[in-house]
Amino acid sequence: MTRSTCLRRLAALAVAGASFCAPALALQPADDPFSVVRQSPAGTAAEVVEIPVYAPAGAFMSRAEYLAARGEIDDRVLRTRWRIERFGLDGTEQSGETREIVIGDGYVTEATDPGAAVIDFRQARILTRVATLTGPVMRNQPVIGHVHRQMDTFSFYTHNGELDEVTGPDGSRFERFWIEAAMGVRLADVPMVITATDDGATEVRRNADGAVILGLTPGVDGNAADVDLFRRWLRHTTPIHPDALNVMTTLNGIPARFGFIVFSPSSPDGRREVWTRLSAGESTARFPWPENLEAAMAADYAWQDPAVAPLVQAGFDAADLPAASPGEQAFLDAANTLASEGDKAGALLALYQASHHVGACPTRSADPLCMRISQLVAAGLGDAEFEQLMASLAALQSDRLAALEGLRPYLDRTDLAGAAANLLAAETLATLRTVDTAVAPDLDPLALFTASALADPYCSLTYWHAGRYAASQADVESAWMLFDIAVTLPASATTLPVREAAVMNAQLQDIAPNYFNAPATAPDAEAGTDADADADTDADTDASPAADNGDDTALGTEAEAEADADADADADDTADPGSDTDAETDADAGSDDAGDTGLETEAESDASAGADDTADPGSDTDADTDADAGMDDAGDAGLETEAESDADSDAGTDDDAAEGPVDAGDEALNGND
């Protein structure tokens, strides 16, 4: 993809999560904002857009369901053992360890650490075994949430890719190249000079006279598929620039040795990391989700805001029993019962909730739900409570504070009417808080979303808007867990979530393809990157920042190494989804965040975006949310067209930390200076 296209997409994604929270029926036209009857001009045809598939193997799945969704599994695995050594730039040994990396059928994990993440590239999930008071369980989180975090961080520090030099959390400055290495996101391919040594090793430099930033010695164990998975796993777990790491696409076997340099907050003076393969051999093993390991409940996750757990659990329970989702008749029956009891306002809200499931009514529709709404409106005229509610619904766009106050009498209800009232109040309050954080201090958007879900757990829009709210609060990890629920519930087929999540997912994969499985049709040239296969198909390396050090001779001169260290000392390497050998997870310090979670309509694009910080996909979020991303009132329509994203290109978001420069010489492969 071109730099300009990538800029547009970064900007659009950045704005999306920050601006979204309009009343759930914002799809309705302004000429009749309180009605669920859509006033579409006759003959108007909606543009037909091909929507990519997003069908997550969500955290609500049991082990059996997850494996069934995964399909047939080949038991063949390649077990590799590595000696990992870390040195200071002066050659001082810092630390060392031995790790066993297992490459299986579409997944990679680490056998030496029972708590290490299983990165399942086939399902685009990160599975992590954790201990609880009742025994171990398996967490199941989407890779896309981690990638969203990385993109946010890159976008925040680079002003959506506009800056060639960025400032880190401690005020130090460094080239954008190093945050690209850290976050795995870059605007276009970075030219690399790749040379071979007399002994067959490969050296990667940024220019002919530059220092070696990655050195590797080819190996013969494994096959091209193993190498591809290993490279993608390294994208998640090591701080090597994507265009440097991409040299592995030319290998047919797992490297025998490789070395790189890292500069980060945890290694401000730089360090060199060398991986030496001790052994490699094929064996057989089952997929690493043991039979006796239950899927984690919502309370078993480490949420940025623990208050999200009851909301997520309501979604887990609903997704586990989709057949219980209410149909149109259930809403009609509820409304008729309430109306017969004289509760016309409650009846209207119950029908309003139906629209959250099936969408707004077209003009002059003969659908029973739509006809019943018209009848109820006519019958309710003259009823003071009913007219007050209608006035509040009409004010959802024009006078949100009045609308919120008008919904208060219905917030304690636990029926379908209460579900509608709480969802509308949650979205309205979230929007008001973007302007004045002191509005309605006795209410909390997340609590309102939860109350709505408990009253009607099958409403996909509740989880969708709650997810967008979470993203606006810099919590994109929770956001994508909620999005997964939203697109799985039956109602999602007739509402926005399934379409918007699919487009967002496709855009993020386009920006950072190597966090994911290789495209079936183009294994060597991943979608979304401009780089040549030998220069770089993975425009989105892992979240770890640049490599670090080795010999000053390898760096060219000692002065050169120090200059790089100064320049990038603030950049930091990102978290490892599995185990994080370098405690580099302080990467997000100082950054702020925004949640950009989905793209929105052009109207939404004016909302302010906050930045957000990164987190480890395996264990979860950094609660560094300092920035609140604005939410706007545009509708729930999420993603936009490319033309719309152009309009949004000025939006800034995001957050985490970056990592330092990589400047290593030939000695990147050697132990000490």
Side-chain angles (χ1 to χ4, degrees), residues 173-193:
R173 301 178 68 81
F174 54 97
E175 287 183 87
R176 187 178 67 216
F177 178 89
W178 303 118
I179 194 172
E180 292 176 350
M183 299 299 107
V185 175
R186 52 106 164 99
L187 299 180
D189 59 304
V190 176
M192 295 285 174
V193 176

Side-chain angles (χ1 to χ4, degrees), residues 20 156 229 233 276 343 363 368 478 638:
F20 77 87
F156 172 72
L229 285 169
W233 180 81
T276 303
D343 185 4
T363 305
S478 296

